[in-house]
Amino acid sequence: MKKNLLKAIALLFVTALPVQNAFSAESGWTAQFTPVNDAAELGQLKTATAADGSVYVSSTYNQAFNFAGSEVADPEGLTSAFIAKYEVNGQEAWGITMFGNATISALDADADGTLYVAGQFMDVVEYTGTNGVKGEISSPSSISAFIAKVSKDGKFEAVKTFTSVTDESIASAVGDPWGDGFESPLYSSWDPIYVAPNNIQIDGDKVYVSAKYTGDVKELGWEGSYVDVFGMMYSDNYSYGVLSLNKSDLSDAKSIATVQNTELVSYDQFYPEALNFVAENGTVHVGFFGFGNLTLKTGAATNFNFANDYEGGLEHAFVLATISNGEVTTKVFNAEKHDKSAKPYNVFMDVNGDELIISGTYYGQNPFDNTLSTGELANDIFVASVGKANGAVNWTEVGGNESKAVSMGMNSTEVLVSTTAGTINIDLNTNEKSLLEEIYSDMDFYGDSSNAKVQATDTHVGVYGWADSSVGIEDIVVFEPKSNGVIYNLAGQIVDENYKGIVIKDGKKYLNK
């Protein structure tokens, strides 16, 4: 990418422009749309790429604008969500809306191009697909989560919501804080309870979602965590959870794991600072930063007691948990305690063969390499390679600048972590690090064949795609599997005999209908 390319893109609308790809040497395209009158009004920008190289982008919008030949109506002062699709050559395909107070926080597309969306909303939100069919979700008393399944031609096929509620036993509890014999109900002085997804991933026939939450999410059996403030009020202490749903219709919601303060009602405000996951063939790897006394619940409970001198010094350790067939293994990466925490912490995860690539932000001593420290920096970015089988650290790299992580993208040869101070690029073959000047808002790719990124400037959302429009799905070069009898899709992922589409078996392509 050329320096200041984004400034040039602000002058374009949809232009077939050669773009140097950070992942490969393919040329690509750039495009933009203008959903807001001030970039500060944009919600999270997210993108996902499909197997054919088409690109999905989500944003919020606060004004009327045109996309794919149709006008998106003014949301009447509400912060509404918008999902756009670009074809492999950058042509605008369609745009759909979620009208109301809604924000999209994660996207993922499967091999067939079906899009899965996670976000949060409040009050009443009306969603409309390209077929004009409208649906409605509502959350009258809290900020709730939604998961949506959208067909590759822009039709809403299923929408699932999750709502949290305050534990009534907490809300109705009484105390005598002044010792005068007059008891009064506890009350909360904090913001409304919520469920806020931060990642979504398709694996096999399941959709996996992670979310930060307060209150009780009863459908999933997720309990809330509460801080007792001197017996006269309580505050909600947030937790994290990971859940799964059926990919076909978003049914059969099940909890995979939660992480929270060990004591559900406590005077100590301990919590996981950031959590993320990656799923692979039914195995879910969960990683989180946390401090104090925390419990991981996966059916059974695993307790962690991190160093705390009760004088402000707290260890902010990293925990890696692997959940497979009901079995749980954990690995703790320790660091020295300190009296300051970086805000916000971030965690991203992906799989590269036999290793997990974990990135994010940290403060103080790096838990994957204790010789690395942020020093005087408020926080720093890191990227670490950890063995899936034993949790051994292969290597760790840090950025060296104060930064907030925005997103991570990876293929078989490179991993890029976008930060507010630039982008750190790691060559997975040599482990060599380089720093790029461009600041990405989000990036995603499908295997080694196509990828995309988005970022914002002024009133514009800039979209970048790298699947060459002259390259069809049949022409994508893929590796030849060494394992006899194992079936792969074109992204190199293991699939079963029920998978529909082009597959590779014993080094040869077949079309499963």
Side-chain angles (χ1 to χ4, degrees):
M1 297 291 293
K2 296 181 179 179
K3 186 176 180 180
N4 296 327
L5 177 60
L6 186 58
K7 292 181 180 179
I9 289 174
L11 302 176
L12 305 172
F13 189 60
V14 178
T15 306
L17 182 69
V19 179
Q20 180 64 39
N21 184 357
F23 294 104
S24 70
E26 292 180 3
S27 62
W29 53 268
T30 67
Q32 73 171 27
F33 61 99
T34 309
V36 295
N37 52 26
D38 181 352
E41 299 298 322
L42 277 173
Q44 300 182 60
L45 293 178
K46 297 297 175 182
T47 188
T49 50
D52 64 357
S54 56
V55 176
Y56 297 99
V57 180
S58 67
S59 73
T60 50
Y61 68 100
N62 68 355
Q63 64 178 4
F65 66 101
N66 290 299
F67 193 89
S70 299
E71 184 180 67
V72 177
D74 191 315
E76 302 173 5
L78 299 174
T79 302
S80 298
F82 179 71
I83 304 171
K85 181 179 180 180
Y86 288 92
E87 302 290 3
V88 65
N89 60 0
Q91 180 180 355
E92 295 177 353
W94 50 255
I96 57 177
T97 60
M98 300 191 73
F99 179 81
N101 289 310
T103 303
I104 293 169
S105 52
L107 302 175
D108 195 21
D110 68 11
D112 297 324
T114 302
L115 181 67
Y116 294 82
V117 182
Q120 60 184 139
F121 73 102
M122 61 185 301
D123 299 326
V124 177
V125 169
E126 181 181 80
Y127 55 90
T128 307
T130 53
N131 56 356
V133 175
K134 298 180 183 295
E136 187 177 281
I137 53 178
S138 63
S139 179
S141 60
S142 66
I143 302 173
S144 299
F146 69 85
I147 315 298
K149 178 181 179 180
V150 180
S151 68
K152 62 183 179 182
D153 56 355
K155 299 171 182 152
F156 282 90
E157 296 186 339
V159 179
K160 173 69 176 175
T161 63
F162 294 97
T163 298
S164 59
V165 296
T166 298
D167 187 326
E168 289 301 324
S169 67
I170 300 294
S172 61
V174 294
D176 183 11
W178 312 117
D180 56 6
F182 292 95
E183 294 183 338
S184 60
L186 300 181
Y187 65 94
S188 174
S189 60
W190 299 88
D191 293 332
I193 54 178
Y194 60 84
V195 186
N198 69 308
N199 192 14
I200 188 168
Q201 184 187 340
I202 311 307
D203 181 57
D205 61 357
K206 295 292 184 181
V207 180
Y208 293 91
V209 179
S210 56
K212 182 179 178 181
Y213 73 95
T214 57
D216 293 1
V217 186
K218 292 186 175 181
E219 180 177 354
L220 295 167
W222 290 359
E223 297 178 286
S225 177
Y226 303 90
V227 179
D228 187 331
V229 184
F230 305 118
M232 61 182 297
M233 70 172 69
Y234 72 89
S235 65
D236 294 287
N237 205 13
Y238 69 76
S239 308
Y240 272 96
V242 181
L243 64 104
S244 70
L245 308 101
N246 288 336
K247 175 183 169 182
S248 59
D249 58 2
L250 304 184
S251 64
D252 195 25
K254 293 181 179 178
S255 175
I256 302 298
T258 59
V259 182
Q260 60 188 168
N261 192 344
T262 297
E263 297 181 58
L264 295 185
V265 180
S266 172
Y267 289 104
D268 295 311
Q269 191 172 13
F270 301 142
Y271 50 83
E273 293 167 302
L275 176 147
N276 218 319
F277 75 95
V278 61
E280 181 188 34
N281 301 323
T283 295
V284 182
H285 304 280
V286 178
F288 65 91
F289 279 102
F291 65 96
N293 302 325
L294 299 178
T295 296
L296 168 71
K297 296 179 182 177
T298 58
T302 305
N303 296 322
F304 304 94
N305 304 104
F306 300 123
N308 179 9
D309 62 14
Y310 289 94
E311 295 180 355
L314 292 163
E315 178 187 6
H316 298 254
F318 187 90
V319 176
L320 176 63
T322 298
I323 305 164
S324 181
N325 297 321
E327 298 294 323
V328 182
T329 59
T330 61
K331 169 83 173 183
V332 177
F333 300 87
N334 295 105
E336 290 180 347
K337 62 181 182 293
H338 56 75
D339 60 359
K340 181 180 180 182
S341 59
K343 300 296 181 186
Y345 278 79
N346 287 267
V347 176
F348 306 102
M349 301 177 67
D350 211 333
V351 175
N352 181 45
D354 294 330
E355 62 182 341
L356 292 171
I357 303 299
I358 305 170
S359 71
T361 46
Y362 76 104
Y363 174 80
Q365 193 181 68
N366 188 286
F368 297 96
D369 184 345
N370 291 165
T371 67
L372 301 173
S373 176
T374 57
E376 297 299 318
L377 301 179
N379 55 358
D380 195 5
I381 191 74
F382 73 90
V383 184
S385 165
V386 176
K388 286 193 297 187
N390 56 11
V393 178
N394 300 315
W395 51 264
T396 307
E397 292 283 356
V398 298
N401 295 299
E402 291 187 9
S403 58
K404 169 186 172 183
V406 177
S407 66
M408 183 178 88
M410 192 183 82
N411 65 7
S412 63
T413 59
E414 292 177 277
V415 56
L416 282 81
V417 182
S418 172
T419 82
T420 53
T423 296
I424 182 172
N425 178 20
I426 307 293
D427 186 319
L428 291 173
N429 294 316
T430 64
N431 302 337
E432 294 181 354
K433 175 185 69 175
S434 60
L435 295 175
L436 306 179
E437 294 187 17
E438 288 83 4
I439 297 176
Y440 304 155
S441 292
D442 191 67
M443 65 184 81
D444 186 78
F445 56 92
Y446 193 94
D448 287 345
S449 62
S450 60
N451 52 81
K453 70 184 181 77
V454 292
Q455 59 192 121
T457 182
D458 301 326
T459 63
H460 308 298
V461 175
V463 186
Y464 307 75
W466 283 287
D468 192 324
S469 60
S470 66
V471 178
I473 193 73
E474 295 278 1
D475 300 318
I476 293 174
V477 178
V478 297
F479 70 97
E480 293 190 4
K482 298 179 181 179
S483 301
N484 292 332
V486 179
I487 304 173
Y488 297 81
N489 63 19
L490 287 178
Q493 299 167 320
I494 297 175
V495 296
D496 62 27
E497 63 274 10
N498 296 319
Y499 179 86
K500 305 300 182 185
I502 300 172
V503 298
I504 305 164
K505 184 176 181 180
D506 296 330
K508 297 181 179 180
K509 291 182 182 178
Y510 301 89
L511 177 61
N512 271 355
K513 296 183 178 179

